[in-house]
Amino acid sequence: NSFCTLLQMSTSNSTAGSPSQVMAAVFDAAFPSRGDVTGPEKRLEYDLQARRAEARVDEAVLRKIADTFSLPIEECVCADEGCCLLAETGLVLYTASRIIITVDMAVELHAAVPAIVAVLGDAGFEAEWASFTRKNTVCPWDGRGTAIAHEYAVLKECFPGGSPFVFGPVDAHHYFYFVYDNINRKSGVVESDVQINVKLYNCTATEGMVTVGSRSIPLDGDSRRQAVAFHGSTYETLRIKSLPQGSVISYETNAEASAALPQLAKQISTLRPDRITVLMLMDPHSETGKSFASQRSVHLDTFGGYRLANRMSNTFEHGYAVLKASFVKV
């Protein structure tokens, strides 16, 4: 009842602002304690549509993006296929006409989205497709989970045509997923992208290496804790965060599932995480998307020694799908 009363009071105020701003204010009043830091990571993807012929992204543009949320850059890795700024708290990646940002939960990435959109606008781009993802471990209506309401408010202002989704059990490991689709499909565009995001929780192994491309990161924490590798049109990123209960490892690639997940399974057998979560986007013309649509394997059955905790998917209007699955150690 108190929540409904707050909503009525807010919406009756003519100076309250847009509906999304009203909702953020309502959640502020209902749950004063903000800042969910229970998950490992937030992610923003911005697929680029050039508005003018001279539009381009270079290292200087990436650094301007990093400045919008004060990312303390430690390393810049550039190749013909793309460029990546690496820091202890996150990374900014440019490859294949898209910007990908992943940061620690303590970074209020959503607050920087308007400035990021402005930087890319100045560089000559608008969003063809965009998504914001938060790996969450508490109920959005819990007092610890109210940041989602603020994220939604900002994202809806920047991308009015976007929509929010929740993948997974609402009061446990799930993803808040906001997606904006502005793709012009009248031009006969072929959609064949794959995005695979994997989180490994409470990795108890303290010795050995995690490998990305030609780079290996020791698990003892004495060296840099993030890496990127480019392989032609595909990329891999890796981030390791040490917590008292064990390391949390975040891995991302745009390779097909048939290539990426069996290789990852070999490393999982060494890392021995307590829990695995996978979030996978599959375009309809990708090998992975075709397998999913025909109910064939997308190689999530390759994690030996783990059982499925939950799995859910959503197929969007234009045929691409998002699949979320969680596994726990047997």
Side-chain angles (χ1 to χ4, degrees):
N1 290 337
S2 60
F3 181 85
C4 294
T5 301
L6 284 166
L7 181 59
Q8 291 169 352
M9 290 172 61
S10 299
T11 53
S12 64
N13 185 348
S14 60
T15 62
S18 68
S20 55
Q21 291 171 329
V22 169
M23 287 304 296
V26 168
F27 272 80
D28 261 343
F31 304 113
S33 175
R34 289 183 58 196
D36 170 26
V37 294
T38 59
E41 203 165 63
K42 303 171 187 176
R43 179 184 186 273
L44 175 70
E45 177 176 341
Y46 191 106
D47 291 5
L48 303 168
Q49 177 66 49
R51 297 188 306 193
R52 54 179 187 261
E54 67 273 18
R56 63 190 297 264
V57 172
D58 54 18
E59 182 182 338
V61 171
L62 295 185
R63 288 184 178 273
K64 288 180 181 178
I65 291 173
D67 286 344
T68 64
F69 51 95
S70 303
L71 184 70
I73 300 166
E74 299 176 352
E75 183 181 8
C76 177
V77 178
C78 290
D80 292 340
E81 302 91 343
C83 188
C84 186
L85 305 179
L86 296 164
E88 182 180 353
T89 55
L91 61 84
V92 180
L93 171 72
Y94 167 66
T95 182
S97 299
R98 65 174 53 89
I99 301 291
I100 296 171
I101 302 168
T102 56
V103 295
D104 288 353
M105 291 297 285
V107 179
E108 293 200 349
L109 180 59
H110 69 285
V113 171
I116 293 169
V117 171
V119 168
L120 292 170
D122 290 343
F125 296 97
E126 62 184 7
E128 182 180 55
W129 190 92
S131 69
F132 179 92
T133 311
R134 160 200 278 271
K135 177 62 170 56
N136 203 30
T137 57
V138 298
C139 177
W141 297 281
D142 184 303
R144 295 168 293 166
T146 60
I148 286 180
H150 296 270
E151 289 166 347
Y152 170 75
V154 173
L155 294 166
K156 196 67 175 177
E157 292 296 321
C158 293
F159 308 109
S163 299
F165 299 84
V166 173
F167 288 87
V170 174
D171 62 349
H173 286 249
H174 65 267
Y175 284 89
F176 167 65
Y177 190 85
F178 184 96
V179 61
Y180 168 74
D181 189 333
N182 192 39
I183 298 173
N184 178 11
R185 293 178 171 84
K186 294 181 180 179
S187 60
V189 62
V190 175
E191 298 174 72
S192 58
D193 288 339
V194 175
Q195 296 286 342
I196 300 174
N197 293 270
V198 181
K199 305 288 185 286
L200 310 178
Y201 287 88
N202 303 344
C203 297
T204 55
T206 57
E207 297 180 355
M209 298 280 188
V210 185
T211 302
V212 170
S214 61
R215 187 166 184 174
S216 296
I217 302 178
L219 290 172
D220 58 15
D222 292 332
S223 64
R224 195 177 302 280
R225 309 288 278 169
Q226 58 278 325
V228 62
F230 297 101
H231 316 280
S233 61
T234 64
Y235 67 87
E236 297 176 278
T237 66
L238 178 76
R239 303 185 66 237
I240 302 177
K241 187 175 182 67
S242 297
L243 298 173
Q245 63 269 36
S247 297
V248 178
I249 297 177
S250 172
Y251 171 81
E252 175 174 331
T253 184
N254 65 337
E256 295 280 3
S258 59
L261 293 183
Q263 289 297 317
L264 181 64
K266 295 178 181 178
Q267 298 204 53
I268 287 173
S269 65
T270 300
L271 297 169
R272 303 191 303 275
D274 288 341
R275 177 184 289 269
I276 304 167
T277 61
V278 180
L279 187 72
M280 188 186 310
L281 180 144
M282 303 161 282
D283 273 351
H285 298 112
S286 66
E287 172 195 315
T288 307
K290 291 176 181 177
S291 295
F292 178 77
S294 60
Q295 298 184 335
R296 300 196 307 271
S297 171
V298 289
H299 302 278
L300 287 175
D301 54 355
T302 58
F303 303 138
Y306 290 82
R307 63 173 176 82
L308 180 68
N310 57 73
R311 168 177 167 147
M312 66 180 299
S313 63
N314 184 66
T315 300
F316 291 82
E317 176 185 1
H318 300 290
Y320 59 91
V322 171
L323 169 67
K324 181 266 182 187
S326 290
F327 303 85
V328 294
K329 188 187 296 182
V330 176

